[in-house]
Amino acid sequence: MKIYRLEKYGRLFCTTGAVKGPTGIFISKFLIDTGASYTLIPYEALEKIEKDYSIPKERVKLATANGYIFVPIKKVEWFHSLGKSFEDFPVAIYNLPAGMFVKGILGMDFLTRAKATIDIAKEQIYFSEM
């Protein structure tokens, strides 16, 4: 079992993630958010991974501190973080507020599919064998 040390920012955890599309790879910091249903990437990631992108018509409803929003959702070639990669992975597309220490959110869709266990006290994450 591989154990990964999480990066701590105040009382929050983050890690590095990468998303790939037809024309590139976007690498950035992602907040680990067990309250988020979807993994989220910013529009700048979409611009980097797809040269001639169009905003997807399919939308998902997300709850935020300010209420509900509808954001585009799109499958990317792959999403990779913490030693786990998933192909044809759906991500929500939304820009987090300016000044955030991360560009995206690693949501429960990824964490559940990866069978992640987070040890808060040890600031670690590990995965059950798949």
Short mmCIF file of all heavy atoms in Angstrom, two decimals, residues 67-103:
data_model
loop_
_atom_site.label_atom_id
_atom_site.label_comp_id
_atom_site.label_asym_id
_atom_site.label_seq_id
_atom_site.Cartn_x
_atom_site.Cartn_y
_atom_site.Cartn_z
N GLY A 67 -24.91 29.64 -2.78
CA GLY A 67 -26.08 29.06 -3.41
C GLY A 67 -25.68 28.05 -4.49
O GLY A 67 -24.53 27.63 -4.57
N TYR A 68 -26.64 27.69 -5.31
CA TYR A 68 -26.40 26.70 -6.36
C TYR A 68 -25.96 27.37 -7.66
O TYR A 68 -26.43 28.47 -7.98
CB TYR A 68 -27.66 25.89 -6.64
CG TYR A 68 -28.01 24.95 -5.51
CD1 TYR A 68 -29.00 25.28 -4.60
CD2 TYR A 68 -27.33 23.75 -5.36
CE1 TYR A 68 -29.32 24.41 -3.56
CE2 TYR A 68 -27.64 22.89 -4.33
CZ TYR A 68 -28.63 23.22 -3.43
OH TYR A 68 -28.93 22.38 -2.41
N ILE A 69 -25.06 26.70 -8.37
CA ILE A 69 -24.64 27.15 -9.69
C ILE A 69 -24.67 25.95 -10.64
O ILE A 69 -24.60 24.80 -10.20
CB ILE A 69 -23.22 27.77 -9.68
CG1 ILE A 69 -22.18 26.77 -9.15
CG2 ILE A 69 -23.21 29.06 -8.88
CD1 ILE A 69 -20.75 27.24 -9.27
N PHE A 70 -24.82 26.21 -11.92
CA PHE A 70 -24.76 25.16 -12.94
C PHE A 70 -23.48 25.38 -13.73
O PHE A 70 -23.25 26.48 -14.24
CB PHE A 70 -25.98 25.22 -13.85
CG PHE A 70 -27.24 24.81 -13.15
CD1 PHE A 70 -28.01 25.73 -12.47
CD2 PHE A 70 -27.63 23.48 -13.15
CE1 PHE A 70 -29.17 25.35 -11.81
CE2 PHE A 70 -28.78 23.09 -12.49
CZ PHE A 70 -29.55 24.02 -11.82
N VAL A 71 -22.64 24.34 -13.80
CA VAL A 71 -21.35 24.47 -14.47
C VAL A 71 -21.21 23.38 -15.54
O VAL A 71 -21.79 22.31 -15.41
CB VAL A 71 -20.17 24.41 -13.48
CG1 VAL A 71 -20.27 25.51 -12.44
CG2 VAL A 71 -20.08 23.05 -12.81
N PRO A 72 -20.42 23.65 -16.58
CA PRO A 72 -20.20 22.64 -17.61
C PRO A 72 -19.43 21.44 -17.04
O PRO A 72 -18.62 21.59 -16.11
CB PRO A 72 -19.34 23.35 -18.66
CG PRO A 72 -19.36 24.79 -18.31
CD PRO A 72 -19.74 24.91 -16.88
N ILE A 73 -19.68 20.27 -17.60
CA ILE A 73 -18.93 19.07 -17.25
C ILE A 73 -18.43 18.44 -18.54
O ILE A 73 -19.13 18.45 -19.55
CB ILE A 73 -19.77 18.10 -16.40
CG1 ILE A 73 -18.88 16.99 -15.85
CG2 ILE A 73 -20.95 17.56 -17.16
CD1 ILE A 73 -19.48 16.24 -14.69
N LYS A 74 -17.19 17.95 -18.50
CA LYS A 74 -16.56 17.43 -19.71
C LYS A 74 -15.64 16.28 -19.35
O LYS A 74 -14.95 16.32 -18.34
CB LYS A 74 -15.74 18.54 -20.37
CG LYS A 74 -15.03 18.12 -21.62
CD LYS A 74 -14.36 19.32 -22.26
CE LYS A 74 -13.73 18.98 -23.58
NZ LYS A 74 -14.62 18.49 -24.58
N LYS A 75 -15.62 15.25 -20.21
CA LYS A 75 -14.67 14.16 -20.01
C LYS A 75 -13.33 14.57 -20.60
O LYS A 75 -13.25 15.10 -21.71
CB LYS A 75 -15.16 12.88 -20.70
CG LYS A 75 -16.24 12.19 -19.93
CD LYS A 75 -16.56 10.85 -20.54
CE LYS A 75 -17.66 10.17 -19.71
NZ LYS A 75 -18.00 8.87 -20.27
N VAL A 76 -12.26 14.33 -19.83
CA VAL A 76 -10.91 14.61 -20.29
C VAL A 76 -10.22 13.27 -20.60
O VAL A 76 -10.69 12.21 -20.15
CB VAL A 76 -10.11 15.41 -19.24
CG1 VAL A 76 -10.72 16.79 -19.06
CG2 VAL A 76 -10.04 14.69 -17.91
N GLU A 77 -9.13 13.32 -21.35
CA GLU A 77 -8.44 12.08 -21.72
C GLU A 77 -8.04 11.30 -20.47
O GLU A 77 -8.25 10.10 -20.40
CB GLU A 77 -7.22 12.37 -22.58
CG GLU A 77 -7.58 12.73 -24.00
CD GLU A 77 -6.36 12.86 -24.90
OE1 GLU A 77 -5.29 12.26 -24.61
OE2 GLU A 77 -6.49 13.57 -25.90
N TRP A 78 -7.44 12.00 -19.50
CA TRP A 78 -7.16 11.38 -18.21
C TRP A 78 -6.95 12.44 -17.16
O TRP A 78 -6.62 13.58 -17.46
CB TRP A 78 -6.00 10.39 -18.23
CG TRP A 78 -4.66 10.85 -18.75
CD1 TRP A 78 -4.10 10.47 -19.93
CD2 TRP A 78 -3.70 11.72 -18.14
NE1 TRP A 78 -2.86 11.04 -20.08
CE2 TRP A 78 -2.59 11.81 -18.99
CE3 TRP A 78 -3.67 12.44 -16.96
CZ2 TRP A 78 -1.46 12.59 -18.70
CZ3 TRP A 78 -2.56 13.22 -16.65
CH2 TRP A 78 -1.47 13.29 -17.53
N PHE A 79 -7.18 12.03 -15.92
CA PHE A 79 -6.90 12.87 -14.76
C PHE A 79 -6.00 12.05 -13.85
O PHE A 79 -6.26 10.88 -13.60
CB PHE A 79 -8.18 13.27 -14.02
CG PHE A 79 -7.91 14.22 -12.89
CD1 PHE A 79 -7.88 15.58 -13.12
CD2 PHE A 79 -7.64 13.76 -11.62
CE1 PHE A 79 -7.59 16.47 -12.09
CE2 PHE A 79 -7.34 14.63 -10.58
CZ PHE A 79 -7.33 16.00 -10.82
N HIS A 80 -4.92 12.67 -13.35
CA HIS A 80 -3.94 11.96 -12.52
C HIS A 80 -3.65 12.75 -11.25
O HIS A 80 -3.44 13.97 -11.30
CB HIS A 80 -2.64 11.77 -13.30
CG HIS A 80 -1.58 11.10 -12.51
ND1 HIS A 80 -1.46 9.75 -12.43
CD2 HIS A 80 -0.59 11.62 -11.74
CE1 HIS A 80 -0.44 9.44 -11.63
NE2 HIS A 80 0.11 10.57 -11.21
N SER A 81 -3.66 12.06 -10.13
CA SER A 81 -3.25 12.65 -8.87
C SER A 81 -2.94 11.52 -7.89
O SER A 81 -3.55 10.45 -7.94
CB SER A 81 -4.36 13.54 -8.30
OG SER A 81 -3.91 14.21 -7.14
N LEU A 82 -1.99 11.75 -7.02
CA LEU A 82 -1.66 10.81 -5.94
C LEU A 82 -1.41 9.39 -6.46
O LEU A 82 -1.84 8.41 -5.86
CB LEU A 82 -2.78 10.82 -4.89
CG LEU A 82 -3.00 12.17 -4.20
CD1 LEU A 82 -4.35 12.24 -3.55
CD2 LEU A 82 -1.88 12.43 -3.20
N GLY A 83 -0.75 9.29 -7.59
CA GLY A 83 -0.42 7.98 -8.14
C GLY A 83 -1.56 7.24 -8.82
O GLY A 83 -1.39 6.10 -9.24
N LYS A 84 -2.71 7.88 -8.94
CA LYS A 84 -3.87 7.26 -9.58
C LYS A 84 -4.25 8.03 -10.84
O LYS A 84 -4.32 9.26 -10.82
CB LYS A 84 -5.09 7.25 -8.64
CG LYS A 84 -4.86 6.49 -7.35
CD LYS A 84 -4.84 5.01 -7.63
CE LYS A 84 -4.65 4.23 -6.35
NZ LYS A 84 -4.50 2.81 -6.57
N SER A 85 -4.50 7.29 -11.92
CA SER A 85 -4.94 7.90 -13.17
C SER A 85 -6.24 7.25 -13.63
O SER A 85 -6.39 6.03 -13.53
CB SER A 85 -3.90 7.69 -14.28
OG SER A 85 -2.78 8.49 -14.05
N PHE A 86 -7.15 8.08 -14.12
CA PHE A 86 -8.41 7.58 -14.65
C PHE A 86 -8.63 8.20 -16.02
O PHE A 86 -8.57 9.41 -16.19
CB PHE A 86 -9.57 7.92 -13.72
CG PHE A 86 -9.45 7.27 -12.37
CD1 PHE A 86 -9.23 8.02 -11.23
CD2 PHE A 86 -9.53 5.89 -12.23
CE1 PHE A 86 -9.10 7.44 -9.99
CE2 PHE A 86 -9.40 5.28 -11.00
CZ PHE A 86 -9.18 6.05 -9.87
N GLU A 87 -8.89 7.33 -17.01
CA GLU A 87 -9.15 7.78 -18.38
C GLU A 87 -10.61 8.15 -18.56
O GLU A 87 -11.48 7.65 -17.83
CB GLU A 87 -8.76 6.68 -19.36
CG GLU A 87 -7.27 6.40 -19.38
CD GLU A 87 -6.88 5.33 -20.38
OE1 GLU A 87 -7.76 4.75 -21.05
OE2 GLU A 87 -5.67 5.07 -20.48
N ASP A 88 -10.87 9.02 -19.55
CA ASP A 88 -12.24 9.49 -19.83
C ASP A 88 -12.93 9.95 -18.55
O ASP A 88 -14.07 9.59 -18.27
CB ASP A 88 -13.06 8.41 -20.53
CG ASP A 88 -12.51 8.06 -21.89
OD1 ASP A 88 -12.10 9.01 -22.60
OD2 ASP A 88 -12.48 6.88 -22.25
N PHE A 89 -12.21 10.75 -17.79
CA PHE A 89 -12.69 11.18 -16.47
C PHE A 89 -13.48 12.49 -16.60
O PHE A 89 -12.99 13.47 -17.15
CB PHE A 89 -11.49 11.37 -15.54
CG PHE A 89 -11.87 11.58 -14.11
CD1 PHE A 89 -12.29 10.51 -13.34
CD2 PHE A 89 -11.81 12.84 -13.54
CE1 PHE A 89 -12.64 10.70 -12.02
CE2 PHE A 89 -12.16 13.04 -12.22
CZ PHE A 89 -12.58 11.97 -11.45
N PRO A 90 -14.72 12.52 -16.10
CA PRO A 90 -15.51 13.75 -16.17
C PRO A 90 -15.09 14.77 -15.11
O PRO A 90 -14.91 14.41 -13.94
CB PRO A 90 -16.95 13.27 -15.92
CG PRO A 90 -16.82 11.98 -15.20
CD PRO A 90 -15.48 11.40 -15.55
N VAL A 91 -14.89 16.00 -15.53
CA VAL A 91 -14.54 17.08 -14.61
C VAL A 91 -15.50 18.24 -14.80
O VAL A 91 -15.95 18.51 -15.91
CB VAL A 91 -13.08 17.57 -14.81
CG1 VAL A 91 -12.08 16.50 -14.42
CG2 VAL A 91 -12.84 18.03 -16.23
N ALA A 92 -15.81 18.91 -13.72
CA ALA A 92 -16.60 20.15 -13.78
C ALA A 92 -15.64 21.28 -14.11
O ALA A 92 -14.46 21.24 -13.74
CB ALA A 92 -17.30 20.39 -12.46
N ILE A 93 -16.13 22.30 -14.82
CA ILE A 93 -15.28 23.41 -15.23
C ILE A 93 -15.80 24.69 -14.58
O ILE A 93 -16.95 25.10 -14.82
CB ILE A 93 -15.25 23.54 -16.76
CG1 ILE A 93 -14.79 22.22 -17.37
CG2 ILE A 93 -14.34 24.68 -17.18
CD1 ILE A 93 -15.14 22.06 -18.82
N TYR A 94 -14.94 25.30 -13.77
CA TYR A 94 -15.34 26.50 -13.04
C TYR A 94 -14.09 27.17 -12.49
O TYR A 94 -13.18 26.50 -11.99
CB TYR A 94 -16.28 26.12 -11.90
CG TYR A 94 -16.80 27.28 -11.10
CD1 TYR A 94 -17.76 28.13 -11.62
CD2 TYR A 94 -16.33 27.53 -9.82
CE1 TYR A 94 -18.23 29.20 -10.88
CE2 TYR A 94 -16.80 28.59 -9.07
CZ TYR A 94 -17.75 29.43 -9.61
OH TYR A 94 -18.23 30.49 -8.89
N ASN A 95 -14.04 28.47 -12.56
CA ASN A 95 -12.93 29.21 -11.97
C ASN A 95 -13.20 29.50 -10.50
O ASN A 95 -14.22 30.12 -10.18
CB ASN A 95 -12.70 30.53 -12.71
CG ASN A 95 -12.11 30.32 -14.08
OD1 ASN A 95 -11.43 29.34 -14.33
ND2 ASN A 95 -12.36 31.26 -14.97
N LEU A 96 -12.30 29.05 -9.65
CA LEU A 96 -12.39 29.38 -8.23
C LEU A 96 -12.10 30.87 -8.05
O LEU A 96 -11.49 31.50 -8.93
CB LEU A 96 -11.40 28.54 -7.43
CG LEU A 96 -11.68 27.03 -7.45
CD1 LEU A 96 -10.56 26.27 -6.73
CD2 LEU A 96 -13.02 26.72 -6.79
N PRO A 97 -12.50 31.47 -6.93
CA PRO A 97 -12.25 32.90 -6.72
C PRO A 97 -10.77 33.25 -6.83
O PRO A 97 -9.89 32.45 -6.46
CB PRO A 97 -12.76 33.14 -5.30
CG PRO A 97 -13.76 32.05 -5.07
CD PRO A 97 -13.25 30.87 -5.82
N ALA A 98 -10.49 34.43 -7.32
CA ALA A 98 -9.11 34.92 -7.45
C ALA A 98 -8.43 34.90 -6.08
O ALA A 98 -9.07 35.14 -5.06
CB ALA A 98 -9.12 36.33 -8.04
N GLY A 99 -7.17 34.59 -6.09
CA GLY A 99 -6.40 34.61 -4.85
C GLY A 99 -6.38 33.29 -4.10
O GLY A 99 -5.73 33.18 -3.06
N MET A 100 -7.08 32.30 -4.62
CA MET A 100 -7.07 30.98 -3.97
C MET A 100 -5.68 30.36 -4.11
O MET A 100 -4.97 30.63 -5.06
CB MET A 100 -8.10 30.04 -4.60
CG MET A 100 -9.54 30.42 -4.34
SD MET A 100 -10.11 29.97 -2.70
CE MET A 100 -10.01 28.20 -2.75
N PHE A 101 -5.31 29.52 -3.17
CA PHE A 101 -4.01 28.86 -3.20
C PHE A 101 -4.01 27.62 -4.09
O PHE A 101 -2.98 26.98 -4.27
CB PHE A 101 -3.56 28.50 -1.79
CG PHE A 101 -4.45 27.49 -1.11
CD1 PHE A 101 -4.10 26.15 -1.08
CD2 PHE A 101 -5.63 27.88 -0.50
CE1 PHE A 101 -4.91 25.22 -0.47
CE2 PHE A 101 -6.44 26.96 0.12
CZ PHE A 101 -6.09 25.62 0.14
N VAL A 102 -5.16 27.26 -4.63
CA VAL A 102 -5.30 26.13 -5.54
C VAL A 102 -6.06 26.58 -6.79
O VAL A 102 -6.75 27.59 -6.76
CB VAL A 102 -6.06 24.94 -4.89
CG1 VAL A 102 -5.28 24.37 -3.73
CG2 VAL A 102 -7.45 25.35 -4.45
N LYS A 103 -5.94 25.81 -7.86
CA LYS A 103 -6.66 26.12 -9.10
C LYS A 103 -7.88 25.23 -9.29
O LYS A 103 -8.76 25.55 -10.08
CB LYS A 103 -5.74 25.95 -10.31
CG LYS A 103 -4.62 26.94 -10.38
CD LYS A 103 -5.11 28.24 -10.92
CE LYS A 103 -3.97 29.19 -11.15
NZ LYS A 103 -4.38 30.40 -11.81
#
